[in-house]
Coordinates of all heavy atoms in Angstrom, one line a residue:
M1 N -64.2 -9.1 -38.3 CA -64.3 -9.7 -39.6 C -65.6 -10.6 -39.6 O -65.9 -11.2 -38.6 CB -63.1 -10.6 -39.9 CG -63.1 -11.3 -41.2 SD -62.9 -10.3 -42.7 CE -61.4 -9.5 -42.5
N2 N -66.2 -10.7 -40.7 CA -67.5 -11.5 -40.9 C -67.1 -13.0 -40.7 O -66.2 -13.5 -41.4 CB -68.0 -11.2 -42.3 CG -69.3 -11.8 -42.5 OD1 -69.4 -13.0 -42.7 ND2 -70.4 -11.0 -42.6
K3 N -67.9 -13.7 -39.9 CA -67.6 -15.1 -39.6 C -67.8 -15.9 -40.9 O -67.1 -16.9 -41.1 CB -68.5 -15.6 -38.5 CG -68.1 -15.0 -37.2 CD -69.0 -15.6 -36.1 CE -68.7 -14.9 -34.8 NZ -69.6 -15.4 -33.7
L4 N -68.9 -15.6 -41.7 CA -69.1 -16.4 -42.9 C -67.9 -16.2 -43.9 O -67.5 -17.2 -44.5 CB -70.4 -16.0 -43.5 CG -70.8 -16.7 -44.8 CD1 -70.7 -18.2 -44.7 CD2 -72.1 -16.3 -45.4
Y5 N -67.4 -15.0 -44.0 CA -66.3 -14.7 -44.9 C -65.1 -15.6 -44.4 O -64.4 -16.2 -45.3 CB -66.0 -13.2 -44.9 CG -64.8 -12.9 -45.8 CD1 -64.9 -12.9 -47.2 CD2 -63.5 -12.7 -45.3 CE1 -63.9 -12.7 -48.0 CE2 -62.4 -12.4 -46.1 CZ -62.6 -12.4 -47.5 OH -61.6 -12.2 -48.3
E6 N -64.8 -15.6 -43.1 CA -63.7 -16.4 -42.6 C -63.9 -17.8 -43.0 O -62.9 -18.5 -43.4 CB -63.6 -16.2 -41.1 CG -63.1 -14.8 -40.7 CD -63.0 -14.6 -39.2 OE1 -63.4 -15.5 -38.5 OE2 -62.7 -13.5 -38.8
L7 N -65.1 -18.3 -42.8 CA -65.4 -19.7 -43.1 C -65.2 -20.0 -44.6 O -64.7 -21.0 -45.0 CB -66.8 -20.1 -42.7 CG -67.3 -21.5 -42.9 CD1 -66.3 -22.5 -42.2 CD2 -68.7 -21.7 -42.3
L8 N -65.7 -19.1 -45.4 CA -65.5 -19.2 -46.9 C -64.1 -19.3 -47.3 O -63.7 -20.0 -48.2 CB -66.2 -18.1 -47.6 CG -67.8 -18.2 -47.7 CD1 -68.3 -16.9 -48.3 CD2 -68.3 -19.4 -48.4
Q9 N -63.2 -18.5 -46.6 CA -61.8 -18.6 -46.9 C -61.2 -19.9 -46.6 O -60.3 -20.5 -47.3 CB -61.1 -17.4 -46.2 CG -61.4 -16.1 -46.7 CD -61.3 -15.9 -48.2 OE1 -60.2 -16.1 -48.7 NE2 -62.4 -15.6 -48.8
K10 N -61.7 -20.5 -45.5 CA -61.2 -21.9 -45.1 C -61.7 -22.9 -46.2 O -60.9 -23.8 -46.5 CB -61.8 -22.3 -43.7 CG -61.1 -21.5 -42.6 CD -61.7 -21.8 -41.3 CE -61.1 -21.0 -40.2 NZ -61.8 -21.3 -38.9
I11 N -62.9 -22.7 -46.6 CA -63.5 -23.7 -47.6 C -62.7 -23.5 -48.9 O -62.4 -24.5 -49.6 CB -65.0 -23.4 -47.8 CG1 -65.8 -23.8 -46.6 CG2 -65.5 -24.2 -49.1 CD1 -67.2 -23.4 -46.6
K12 N -62.4 -22.3 -49.3 CA -61.6 -22.0 -50.5 C -60.2 -22.8 -50.5 O -59.8 -23.4 -51.4 CB -61.3 -20.5 -50.6 CG -60.5 -20.1 -51.9 CD -60.3 -18.6 -51.9 CE -59.5 -18.2 -53.0 NZ -59.3 -16.7 -53.0
Q13 N -59.6 -22.8 -49.3 CA -58.3 -23.4 -49.2 C -58.4 -24.9 -49.1 O -57.5 -25.6 -49.6 CB -57.6 -22.9 -47.9 CG -57.3 -21.4 -47.9 CD -56.4 -21.1 -49.0 OE1 -55.4 -21.7 -49.3 NE2 -56.8 -20.0 -49.7
R14 N -59.5 -25.5 -48.5 CA -59.6 -26.9 -48.3 C -61.1 -27.4 -48.6 O -61.8 -27.8 -47.7 CB -59.2 -27.3 -46.9 CG -57.7 -26.9 -46.7 CD -57.2 -27.4 -45.4 NE -57.1 -28.9 -45.4 CZ -56.9 -29.6 -44.3 NH1 -56.8 -29.1 -43.2 NH2 -56.9 -30.9 -44.4
P15 N -61.5 -27.2 -49.9 CA -62.9 -27.6 -50.2 C -63.3 -29.0 -49.9 O -64.4 -29.3 -49.4 CB -63.0 -27.3 -51.7 CG -61.6 -27.2 -52.2 CD -60.8 -26.8 -51.1
G16 N -62.4 -29.9 -50.0 CA -62.7 -31.3 -49.8 C -63.0 -31.6 -48.3 O -63.8 -32.4 -48.0
L17 N -62.4 -30.8 -47.4 CA -62.6 -31.0 -46.0 C -64.0 -30.6 -45.6 O -64.7 -31.2 -44.8 CB -61.6 -30.2 -45.2 CG -61.7 -30.2 -43.7 CD1 -61.4 -31.6 -43.2 CD2 -60.7 -29.2 -43.1
Y18 N -64.5 -29.5 -46.2 CA -65.8 -29.0 -45.9 C -67.0 -29.4 -46.8 O -68.1 -29.6 -46.3 CB -65.8 -27.4 -45.9 CG -64.9 -26.9 -44.9 CD1 -63.5 -26.6 -45.2 CD2 -65.3 -26.6 -43.6 CE1 -62.7 -26.1 -44.2 CE2 -64.5 -26.0 -42.6 CZ -63.2 -25.8 -42.9 OH -62.3 -25.3 -42.0
L19 N -66.7 -29.7 -48.0 CA -67.7 -30.0 -49.0 C -67.6 -31.4 -49.5 O -68.5 -31.9 -50.2 CB -67.7 -29.0 -50.2 CG -67.8 -27.6 -49.8 CD1 -67.6 -26.7 -51.1 CD2 -69.1 -27.2 -49.1
G20 N -66.5 -32.1 -49.4 CA -66.3 -33.4 -50.0 C -65.5 -33.3 -51.3 O -64.6 -34.0 -51.5
V21 N -65.9 -32.4 -52.1 CA -65.3 -32.1 -53.4 C -65.3 -30.6 -53.7 O -66.1 -29.9 -53.1 CB -65.9 -32.9 -54.6 CG1 -65.8 -34.4 -54.4 CG2 -67.4 -32.5 -54.7
K22 N -64.5 -30.2 -54.6 CA -64.6 -28.8 -55.0 C -65.8 -28.6 -55.9 O -65.8 -29.0 -57.1 CB -63.3 -28.5 -55.8 CG -63.0 -27.0 -56.1 CD -61.8 -26.9 -57.0 CE -60.9 -25.8 -56.6 NZ -59.8 -25.6 -57.5
S23 N -66.8 -27.9 -55.4 CA -68.1 -27.8 -56.1 C -68.8 -26.5 -55.8 O -69.1 -26.3 -54.6 CB -68.9 -29.0 -55.8 OG -70.3 -28.8 -56.1
L24 N -69.2 -25.7 -56.8 CA -70.0 -24.5 -56.5 C -71.4 -24.9 -56.0 O -72.0 -24.3 -55.2 CB -70.1 -23.6 -57.7 CG -70.9 -22.4 -57.5 CD1 -70.4 -21.5 -56.4 CD2 -71.1 -21.6 -58.8
T25 N -71.9 -26.0 -56.6 CA -73.2 -26.5 -56.2 C -73.3 -26.8 -54.7 O -74.2 -26.3 -54.0 CB -73.6 -27.7 -57.0 OG1 -73.6 -27.4 -58.4 CG2 -75.0 -28.2 -56.6
L26 N -72.3 -27.5 -54.2 CA -72.2 -27.9 -52.8 C -72.0 -26.6 -52.0 O -72.5 -26.5 -50.9 CB -71.2 -29.0 -52.6 CG -71.5 -30.3 -53.2 CD1 -70.4 -31.3 -52.9 CD2 -72.8 -30.9 -52.6
L27 N -71.1 -25.7 -52.4 CA -70.8 -24.5 -51.7 C -72.1 -23.7 -51.6 O -72.4 -23.1 -50.5 CB -69.8 -23.7 -52.4 CG -69.4 -22.4 -51.8 CD1 -68.8 -22.6 -50.4 CD2 -68.4 -21.6 -52.6
N28 N -72.9 -23.6 -52.6 CA -74.1 -22.8 -52.6 C -75.1 -23.4 -51.5 O -75.8 -22.7 -50.8 CB -74.8 -22.8 -54.0 CG -76.0 -21.8 -54.0 OD1 -76.0 -20.8 -53.3 ND2 -76.9 -22.2 -54.8
V29 N -75.2 -24.7 -51.5 CA -76.0 -25.4 -50.5 C -75.5 -25.1 -49.1 O -76.3 -24.9 -48.2 CB -76.1 -26.9 -50.8 CG1 -76.8 -27.7 -49.7 CG2 -76.8 -27.2 -52.1
F30 N -74.2 -25.2 -48.9 CA -73.6 -24.9 -47.6 C -73.9 -23.5 -47.2 O -74.3 -23.3 -46.0 CB -72.1 -25.1 -47.7 CG -71.3 -24.9 -46.5 CD1 -71.1 -26.0 -45.6 CD2 -70.9 -23.6 -46.0 CE1 -70.4 -25.8 -44.4 CE2 -70.2 -23.5 -44.8 CZ -70.0 -24.6 -44.0
I31 N -73.8 -22.5 -48.1 CA -74.1 -21.1 -47.7 C -75.6 -21.0 -47.4 O -75.9 -20.3 -46.4 CB -73.7 -20.2 -48.9 CG1 -72.2 -20.2 -49.1 CG2 -74.3 -18.8 -48.7 CD1 -71.7 -19.5 -50.4
G32 N -76.4 -21.6 -48.1 CA -77.9 -21.6 -47.8 C -78.2 -22.2 -46.4 O -79.0 -21.6 -45.6
G33 N -77.5 -23.3 -46.1 CA -77.7 -23.9 -44.8 C -77.2 -23.0 -43.7 O -77.8 -22.9 -42.6
Y34 N -76.1 -22.3 -43.9 CA -75.5 -21.4 -42.9 C -76.5 -20.3 -42.7 O -76.7 -19.9 -41.5 CB -74.2 -20.8 -43.5 CG -73.4 -20.0 -42.5 CD1 -72.5 -20.5 -41.6 CD2 -73.7 -18.6 -42.4 CE1 -71.8 -19.7 -40.7 CE2 -73.0 -17.8 -41.5 CZ -72.1 -18.4 -40.7 OH -71.4 -17.6 -39.8
A35 N -77.1 -19.7 -43.7 CA -78.0 -18.6 -43.6 C -79.3 -19.1 -42.8 O -79.8 -18.3 -42.0 CB -78.4 -18.1 -45.0
I36 N -79.8 -20.3 -43.1 CA -80.9 -20.8 -42.4 C -80.6 -20.9 -40.9 O -81.4 -20.6 -40.0 CB -81.4 -22.1 -43.0 CG1 -82.0 -21.8 -44.4 CG2 -82.4 -22.8 -42.1 CD1 -82.3 -23.1 -45.2
C37 N -79.5 -21.5 -40.6 CA -79.0 -21.6 -39.2 C -79.0 -20.3 -38.5 O -79.5 -20.1 -37.4 CB -77.7 -22.4 -39.1 SG -77.1 -22.6 -37.4
Q38 N -78.4 -19.3 -39.1 CA -78.3 -18.0 -38.5 C -79.7 -17.4 -38.3 O -79.9 -16.8 -37.2 CB -77.5 -17.0 -39.5 CG -76.0 -17.3 -39.6 CD -75.3 -17.0 -38.3 OE1 -75.3 -15.9 -37.9 NE2 -74.7 -18.0 -37.8
S39 N -80.6 -17.6 -39.2 CA -81.9 -17.1 -39.0 C -82.7 -17.8 -37.9 O -83.3 -17.2 -37.1 CB -82.7 -17.3 -40.4 OG -84.0 -16.9 -40.2
D40 N -82.5 -19.1 -37.9 CA -83.2 -19.9 -36.8 C -82.8 -19.6 -35.4 O -83.5 -19.6 -34.5 CB -83.0 -21.4 -37.1 CG -83.8 -21.9 -38.2 OD1 -84.7 -21.2 -38.8 OD2 -83.6 -23.1 -38.6
Y41 N -81.5 -19.2 -35.3 CA -81.0 -18.8 -34.0 C -80.9 -17.3 -33.7 O -80.2 -16.9 -32.8 CB -79.6 -19.5 -33.7 CG -79.8 -21.0 -33.6 CD1 -79.6 -21.9 -34.7 CD2 -80.2 -21.6 -32.4 CE1 -79.8 -23.2 -34.5 CE2 -80.4 -22.9 -32.2 CZ -80.2 -23.8 -33.3 OH -80.4 -25.1 -33.2
N42 N -81.5 -16.5 -34.6 CA -81.5 -15.1 -34.5 C -80.1 -14.5 -34.3 O -79.9 -13.6 -33.5 CB -82.4 -14.6 -33.3 CG -83.9 -15.0 -33.6 OD1 -84.3 -14.8 -34.7 ND2 -84.6 -15.4 -32.6
Q43 N -79.2 -15.0 -35.0 CA -77.8 -14.6 -35.0 C -77.4 -14.0 -36.3 O -76.3 -14.3 -36.8 CB -76.9 -15.7 -34.6 CG -77.1 -16.2 -33.2 CD -76.2 -17.4 -32.9 OE1 -75.4 -17.8 -33.7 NE2 -76.3 -17.8 -31.6
Q44 N -78.3 -13.2 -36.9 CA -78.0 -12.7 -38.3 C -76.8 -11.8 -38.3 O -76.7 -10.8 -37.5 CB -79.3 -11.9 -38.7 CG -79.3 -11.7 -40.2 CD -79.6 -13.0 -41.0 OE1 -79.6 -14.1 -40.4 NE2 -79.8 -12.9 -42.2
E45 N -75.9 -12.1 -39.1 CA -74.7 -11.3 -39.3 C -75.1 -10.2 -40.4 O -76.1 -10.3 -41.0 CB -73.5 -12.1 -39.9 CG -73.0 -13.1 -38.9 CD -71.9 -14.0 -39.6 OE1 -71.4 -13.6 -40.6 OE2 -71.5 -15.0 -39.0
S46 N -74.2 -9.3 -40.6 CA -74.4 -8.4 -41.7 C -74.4 -9.3 -43.0 O -73.8 -10.3 -43.0 CB -73.2 -7.4 -41.8 OG -72.0 -8.0 -42.1
N47 N -75.1 -8.8 -44.0 CA -75.3 -9.6 -45.1 C -74.1 -9.6 -46.1 O -74.0 -8.6 -46.8 CB -76.6 -9.2 -45.9 CG -77.0 -10.3 -46.9 OD1 -76.3 -11.2 -47.2 ND2 -78.2 -10.1 -47.4
L48 N -73.3 -10.5 -46.0 CA -72.1 -10.6 -46.8 C -72.4 -10.6 -48.3 O -71.7 -10.1 -49.1 CB -71.3 -11.9 -46.4 CG -70.0 -12.1 -47.1 CD1 -69.0 -11.0 -46.7 CD2 -69.4 -13.5 -46.6
F49 N -73.6 -11.2 -48.6 CA -73.9 -11.3 -50.1 C -74.9 -10.2 -50.6 O -75.4 -10.3 -51.7 CB -74.6 -12.7 -50.3 CG -73.6 -13.8 -50.3 CD1 -73.2 -14.5 -49.1 CD2 -73.0 -14.2 -51.4 CE1 -72.3 -15.5 -49.1 CE2 -72.0 -15.2 -51.5 CZ -71.7 -15.9 -50.3
N50 N -75.1 -9.2 -49.7 CA -76.0 -8.1 -50.1 C -75.5 -7.5 -51.4 O -74.5 -6.9 -51.4 CB -76.1 -7.1 -49.0 CG -77.2 -6.1 -49.2 OD1 -78.2 -6.4 -49.9 ND2 -77.1 -5.0 -48.6
G51 N -76.3 -7.6 -52.5 CA -75.9 -7.0 -53.8 C -75.1 -7.9 -54.7 O -74.9 -7.6 -55.8
F52 N -74.8 -9.1 -54.2 CA -74.0 -10.0 -55.0 C -74.7 -10.5 -56.3 O -74.2 -10.6 -57.4 CB -73.4 -11.2 -54.2 CG -72.5 -12.1 -54.9 CD1 -71.3 -11.6 -55.4 CD2 -72.8 -13.4 -55.2 CE1 -70.4 -12.4 -56.1 CE2 -71.9 -14.3 -55.8 CZ -70.7 -13.8 -56.3
Q53 N -76.0 -10.8 -56.0 CA -76.9 -11.3 -57.2 C -76.9 -10.2 -58.3 O -76.7 -10.6 -59.4 CB -78.3 -11.6 -56.7 CG -79.3 -12.0 -57.8 CD -79.0 -13.3 -58.3 OE1 -78.6 -14.3 -57.6 NE2 -79.3 -13.5 -59.6
E54 N -77.1 -9.0 -57.9 CA -77.2 -7.9 -58.9 C -75.8 -7.7 -59.5 O -75.8 -7.4 -60.7 CB -77.6 -6.6 -58.2 CG -79.0 -6.7 -57.7 CD -79.2 -7.4 -56.3 OE1 -78.2 -7.7 -55.7 OE2 -80.4 -7.6 -55.9
H55 N -74.8 -7.9 -58.8 CA -73.4 -7.7 -59.3 C -73.2 -8.8 -60.4 O -72.6 -8.4 -61.5 CB -72.4 -7.9 -58.2 CG -71.0 -7.9 -58.6 ND1 -70.3 -6.8 -59.0 CD2 -70.1 -8.9 -58.8 CE1 -69.0 -7.1 -59.3 NE2 -68.9 -8.4 -59.2
I56 N -73.5 -10.0 -60.2 CA -73.3 -11.1 -61.2 C -74.2 -10.9 -62.4 O -73.8 -11.0 -63.5 CB -73.6 -12.5 -60.5 CG1 -72.6 -12.7 -59.4 CG2 -73.6 -13.6 -61.6 CD1 -71.1 -12.8 -59.9
Q57 N -75.5 -10.5 -62.2 CA -76.4 -10.2 -63.3 C -75.8 -9.1 -64.2 O -75.9 -9.2 -65.4 CB -77.8 -9.9 -62.8 CG -78.5 -11.1 -62.2 CD -79.8 -10.7 -61.7 OE1 -79.9 -9.9 -60.8 NE2 -80.9 -11.3 -62.2
K58 N -75.3 -8.0 -63.5 CA -74.8 -6.9 -64.3 C -73.5 -7.3 -65.0 O -73.4 -7.0 -66.2 CB -74.5 -5.7 -63.3 CG -74.0 -4.5 -64.0 CD -73.8 -3.4 -63.0 CE -73.3 -2.1 -63.7 NZ -73.0 -1.1 -62.7
K59 N -72.7 -8.0 -64.4 CA -71.4 -8.5 -65.0 C -71.7 -9.3 -66.3 O -71.0 -9.1 -67.3 CB -70.5 -9.2 -64.0 CG -69.2 -9.7 -64.6 CD -68.3 -10.2 -63.6 CE -66.9 -10.5 -64.1 NZ -66.2 -9.4 -64.5
Y60 N -72.6 -10.2 -66.2 CA -72.9 -11.1 -67.3 C -74.1 -10.6 -68.2 O -74.5 -11.3 -69.1 CB -73.1 -12.5 -66.8 CG -71.8 -13.1 -66.4 CD1 -71.6 -13.2 -65.0 CD2 -70.9 -13.5 -67.3 CE1 -70.4 -13.8 -64.6 CE2 -69.7 -14.1 -66.8 CZ -69.4 -14.2 -65.5 OH -68.2 -14.7 -65.0
K61 N -74.6 -9.4 -67.9 CA -75.7 -8.8 -68.6 C -76.9 -9.8 -68.7 O -77.5 -10.1 -69.7 CB -75.3 -8.4 -70.0 CG -74.2 -7.4 -70.0 CD -73.7 -7.1 -71.4 CE -72.6 -6.0 -71.5 NZ -71.4 -6.2 -70.8
I62 N -77.3 -10.3 -67.5 CA -78.4 -11.2 -67.3 C -79.5 -10.5 -66.6 O -79.3 -9.9 -65.6 CB -78.0 -12.5 -66.5 CG1 -76.8 -13.2 -67.1 CG2 -79.1 -13.4 -66.2 CD1 -77.0 -14.0 -68.3
S63 N -80.7 -10.6 -67.2 CA -81.9 -10.0 -66.5 C -82.9 -11.0 -66.1 O -83.9 -10.6 -65.5 CB -82.5 -9.0 -67.5 OG -83.0 -9.7 -68.7
S64 N -82.6 -12.3 -66.2 CA -83.5 -13.3 -65.8 C -83.4 -13.5 -64.3 O -82.6 -12.9 -63.6 CB -83.2 -14.7 -66.5 OG -82.0 -15.2 -66.0
T65 N -84.2 -14.4 -63.8 CA -84.2 -14.6 -62.3 C -83.3 -15.8 -61.9 O -83.5 -16.3 -60.8 CB -85.7 -14.9 -61.9 OG1 -86.2 -16.1 -62.6 CG2 -86.6 -13.7 -62.1
Q66 N -82.4 -16.1 -62.7 CA -81.5 -17.2 -62.4 C -80.6 -16.8 -61.2 O -80.2 -15.6 -61.1 CB -80.6 -17.6 -63.6 CG -81.3 -18.2 -64.7 CD -81.9 -19.6 -64.3 OE1 -81.3 -20.4 -63.6 NE2 -83.1 -19.8 -64.8
S67 N -80.3 -17.7 -60.3 CA -79.5 -17.3 -59.1 C -78.0 -17.1 -59.6 O -77.6 -17.5 -60.7 CB -79.5 -18.5 -58.1 OG -78.8 -19.6 -58.6
W68 N -77.3 -16.4 -58.7 CA -75.9 -16.1 -59.0 C -75.1 -17.4 -59.2 O -74.3 -17.5 -60.1 CB -75.2 -15.3 -57.9 CG -75.3 -15.9 -56.5 CD1 -76.1 -15.5 -55.5 CD2 -74.4 -16.8 -56.0 NE1 -75.8 -16.3 -54.4 CE2 -74.8 -17.1 -54.6 CE3 -73.3 -17.6 -56.5 CZ2 -74.1 -18.0 -53.8 CZ3 -72.6 -18.5 -55.6 CH2 -73.1 -18.7 -54.3
A69 N -75.5 -18.5 -58.5 CA -74.8 -19.8 -58.6 C -75.1 -20.4 -60.0 O -74.1 -20.9 -60.6 CB -75.2 -20.7 -57.5
K70 N -76.3 -20.3 -60.5 CA -76.6 -20.9 -61.8 C -75.9 -20.1 -62.9 O -75.5 -20.6 -63.9 CB -78.1 -20.8 -62.0 CG -78.9 -21.8 -61.1 CD -78.7 -23.2 -61.6 CE -79.6 -24.2 -60.8 NZ -79.3 -25.5 -61.2
I71 N -75.9 -18.8 -62.7 CA -75.2 -17.9 -63.7 C -73.7 -18.3 -63.8 O -73.2 -18.5 -64.9 CB -75.4 -16.4 -63.5 CG1 -76.9 -16.1 -63.6 CG2 -74.5 -15.6 -64.4 CD1 -77.2 -14.7 -63.0
I72 N -73.1 -18.4 -62.7 CA -71.6 -18.7 -62.6 C -71.4 -20.1 -63.2 O -70.5 -20.3 -64.0 CB -71.1 -18.6 -61.2 CG1 -71.1 -17.1 -60.8 CG2 -69.7 -19.2 -61.1 CD1 -70.8 -16.9 -59.3
D73 N -72.3 -21.0 -62.8 CA -72.2 -22.4 -63.4 C -72.3 -22.4 -64.9 O -71.6 -23.1 -65.6 CB -73.2 -23.3 -62.7 CG -73.1 -24.7 -63.1 OD1 -72.0 -25.3 -62.9 OD2 -74.0 -25.3 -63.6
F74 N -73.2 -21.6 -65.4 CA -73.4 -21.6 -66.9 C -72.1 -21.1 -67.6 O -71.8 -21.6 -68.7 CB -74.6 -20.6 -67.2 CG -74.8 -20.5 -68.7 CD1 -75.6 -21.5 -69.3 CD2 -74.4 -19.4 -69.4 CE1 -75.8 -21.4 -70.7 CE2 -74.6 -19.3 -70.8 CZ -75.4 -20.3 -71.4
Y75 N -71.4 -20.2 -67.0 CA -70.2 -19.7 -67.6 C -68.9 -20.5 -67.3 O -67.8 -20.0 -67.5 CB -70.0 -18.2 -67.3 CG -71.0 -17.3 -68.1 CD1 -72.2 -16.9 -67.5 CD2 -70.7 -17.0 -69.4 CE1 -73.1 -16.2 -68.2 CE2 -71.6 -16.2 -70.1 CZ -72.8 -15.8 -69.5 OH -73.7 -15.1 -70.2
S76 N -69.1 -21.7 -66.7 CA -68.0 -22.5 -66.3 C -68.0 -23.9 -67.0 O -69.1 -24.4 -67.2 CB -68.0 -22.7 -64.8 OG -68.0 -21.4 -64.1
A77 N -66.9 -24.4 -67.3 CA -66.8 -25.7 -67.9 C -67.2 -26.9 -67.0 O -67.9 -27.8 -67.4 CB -65.5 -26.0 -68.5
T78 N -66.8 -26.8 -65.7 CA -67.1 -27.8 -64.7 C -67.6 -27.2 -63.4 O -67.4 -26.0 -63.2 CB -65.9 -28.7 -64.4 OG1 -64.9 -27.9 -63.8 CG2 -65.3 -29.3 -65.7
D79 N -68.1 -28.0 -62.5 CA -68.6 -27.5 -61.2 C -67.3 -27.0 -60.4 O -67.4 -26.0 -59.7 CB -69.3 -28.6 -60.5 CG -70.2 -28.1 -59.3 OD1 -70.5 -26.9 -59.3 OD2 -70.5 -28.8 -58.4
A80 N -66.2 -27.7 -60.6 CA -65.0 -27.2 -59.9 C -64.5 -25.9 -60.5 O -64.0 -25.0 -59.7 CB -63.9 -28.3 -60.1
D81 N -64.6 -25.7 -61.8 CA -64.2 -24.4 -62.4 C -65.2 -23.3 -61.9 O -64.7 -22.2 -61.6 CB -64.3 -24.5 -63.9 CG -63.2 -25.3 -64.6 OD1 -62.2 -25.6 -63.9 OD2 -63.4 -25.7 -65.7
A82 N -66.4 -23.6 -61.7 CA -67.4 -22.7 -61.2 C -67.1 -22.3 -59.8 O -67.2 -21.1 -59.4 CB -68.8 -23.3 -61.3
F83 N -66.6 -23.2 -59.0 CA -66.1 -23.0 -57.6 C -65.0 -21.9 -57.6 O -65.1 -20.9 -56.9 CB -65.6 -24.3 -57.0 CG -65.1 -24.2 -55.6 CD1 -65.9 -24.4 -54.5 CD2 -63.7 -23.9 -55.4 CE1 -65.4 -24.3 -53.2 CE2 -63.2 -23.8 -54.1 CZ -64.1 -24.0 -53.0
D84 N -64.0 -22.1 -58.5 CA -62.9 -21.1 -58.6 C -63.4 -19.8 -59.1 O -63.0 -18.7 -58.6 CB -61.8 -21.7 -59.5 CG -61.1 -22.9 -58.9 OD1 -61.1 -23.0 -57.7 OD2 -60.6 -23.7 -59.7
L85 N -64.3 -19.8 -60.1 CA -64.8 -18.5 -60.6 C -65.6 -17.8 -59.6 O -65.5 -16.5 -59.5 CB -65.7 -18.8 -61.9 CG -66.2 -17.6 -62.6 CD1 -65.2 -16.6 -63.0 CD2 -67.1 -18.0 -63.8
F86 N -66.4 -18.5 -58.8 CA -67.1 -17.9 -57.7 C -66.2 -17.0 -56.8 O -66.5 -15.9 -56.5 CB -67.9 -18.9 -56.8 CG -68.3 -18.3 -55.5 CD1 -69.4 -17.5 -55.4 CD2 -67.5 -18.6 -54.4 CE1 -69.7 -16.9 -54.1 CE2 -67.9 -18.1 -53.1 CZ -69.0 -17.2 -53.0
F87 N -65.1 -17.6 -56.4 CA -64.2 -16.9 -55.4 C -63.6 -15.7 -56.1 O -63.4 -14.7 -55.5 CB -63.2 -17.9 -54.8 CG -63.8 -18.7 -53.7 CD1 -64.1 -20.0 -53.8 CD2 -64.0 -18.1 -52.5 CE1 -64.7 -20.7 -52.8 CE2 -64.5 -18.8 -51.4 CZ -64.9 -20.1 -51.6
K88 N -63.3 -15.9 -57.4 CA -62.7 -14.7 -58.1 C -63.7 -13.6 -58.2 O -63.4 -12.4 -57.8 CB -62.3 -15.1 -59.5 CG -61.8 -14.0 -60.4 CD -61.4 -14.5 -61.8 CE -60.9 -13.4 -62.6 NZ -61.8 -12.9 -63.6
L89 N -64.9 -13.9 -58.6 CA -66.0 -12.9 -58.7 C -66.4 -12.3 -57.3 O -66.7 -11.1 -57.2 CB -67.2 -13.5 -59.4 CG -67.0 -13.9 -60.8 CD1 -68.2 -14.7 -61.3 CD2 -66.7 -12.7 -61.7
F90 N -66.4 -13.2 -56.3 CA -66.8 -12.7 -55.0 C -65.8 -11.8 -54.4 O -66.1 -10.8 -53.8 CB -67.0 -13.9 -54.1 CG -67.7 -13.6 -52.8 CD1 -69.0 -13.0 -52.8 CD2 -67.1 -13.9 -51.6 CE1 -69.6 -12.7 -51.6 CE2 -67.7 -13.5 -50.4 CZ -69.0 -13.0 -50.4
E91 N -64.5 -12.0 -54.6 CA -63.4 -11.1 -54.1 C -63.5 -9.8 -54.9 O -63.3 -8.7 -54.3 CB -62.1 -11.7 -54.3 CG -61.8 -12.9 -53.3 CD -61.9 -12.5 -51.8 OE1 -61.5 -11.3 -51.5 OE2 -62.4 -13.3 -51.1
E92 N -63.8 -9.8 -56.2 CA -64.0 -8.6 -56.9 C -65.2 -7.8 -56.4 O -65.1 -6.6 -56.2 CB -64.3 -8.9 -58.4 CG -63.1 -9.4 -59.2 CD -63.5 -9.8 -60.6 OE1 -64.7 -9.6 -61.0 OE2 -62.6 -10.4 -61.3
F93 N -66.3 -8.5 -56.1 CA -67.5 -7.9 -55.5 C -67.1 -7.2 -54.2 O -67.5 -6.1 -53.9 CB -68.6 -8.9 -55.4 CG -69.7 -8.5 -54.5 CD1 -70.6 -7.5 -55.0 CD2 -69.9 -9.0 -53.2 CE1 -71.7 -7.1 -54.2 CE2 -71.0 -8.6 -52.5 CZ -71.9 -7.7 -52.9
L94 N -66.4 -7.9 -53.3 CA -66.1 -7.4 -52.0 C -65.2 -6.2 -52.0 O -65.2 -5.3 -51.2 CB -65.6 -8.5 -51.1 CG -66.6 -9.6 -50.6 CD1 -66.0 -10.7 -49.8 CD2 -67.8 -8.9 -49.9
K95 N -64.3 -6.2 -53.0 CA -63.4 -5.1 -53.2 C -64.2 -3.8 -53.4 O -63.8 -2.8 -53.0 CB -62.4 -5.4 -54.4 CG -61.3 -4.4 -54.5 CD -60.4 -4.9 -55.7 CE -59.3 -3.9 -55.9 NZ -58.4 -4.3 -57.0
D96 N -65.3 -3.9 -54.2 CA -66.1 -2.8 -54.5 C -67.2 -2.5 -53.4 O -67.8 -1.5 -53.4 CB -66.9 -3.0 -55.8 CG -66.0 -3.0 -57.0 OD1 -64.8 -2.5 -56.9 OD2 -66.3 -3.6 -58.0
N97 N -67.4 -3.5 -52.5 CA -68.4 -3.4 -51.4 C -67.8 -3.8 -50.1 O -68.3 -4.8 -49.4 CB -69.6 -4.3 -51.8 CG -70.2 -3.8 -53.0 OD1 -71.0 -2.9 -53.0 ND2 -69.9 -4.5 -54.1
P98 N -66.7 -3.2 -49.6 CA -66.1 -3.6 -48.4 C -67.0 -3.5 -47.1 O -66.7 -4.2 -46.1 CB -64.9 -2.6 -48.2 CG -65.3 -1.5 -49.1 CD -66.1 -2.0 -50.2
E99 N -68.0 -2.7 -47.2 CA -68.9 -2.6 -46.1 C -69.6 -3.9 -45.8 O -70.1 -4.2 -44.7 CB -70.0 -1.5 -46.3 CG -71.0 -1.8 -47.4 CD -70.5 -1.4 -48.8 OE1 -69.3 -1.0 -49.0 OE2 -71.2 -1.6 -49.8
N100 N -69.7 -4.8 -46.7 CA -70.3 -6.1 -46.6 C -69.5 -7.0 -45.6 O -70.1 -8.0 -45.0 CB -70.5 -6.9 -47.9 CG -71.6 -6.3 -48.7 OD1 -71.9 -5.1 -48.6 ND2 -72.2 -7.1 -49.6
L101 N -68.3 -6.7 -45.4 CA -67.4 -7.5 -44.5 C -67.6 -7.1 -43.0 O -67.1 -7.8 -42.2 CB -65.9 -7.3 -44.9 CG -65.5 -8.1 -46.2 CD1 -64.1 -7.7 -46.6 CD2 -65.7 -9.6 -46.0
A102 N -68.2 -6.0 -42.8 CA -68.4 -5.5 -41.4 C -69.3 -6.4 -40.6 O -70.1 -7.1 -41.0 CB -68.9 -4.1 -41.4

């Protein structure tokens, strides 16, 4: 199982423990930091998010260069709602792209 995916599941269950508050903005920063750490130590995992940007753009019919996090945030009432929507959309994405979990 992908280590980042396992970590994301822990964050989903207890966001306050890992992020301080339930926030897509903070989750996105956390994911970015994780990716930088992996790159710096040459421990690149399979890309869990490979194709996720395109998936979100297609779902919301967005052709701009806005990040997946900004798009999800735009369609959410609060940052906490965006956090929940991210996990819903991400699970849908992984259901269609199970190879990303390898």
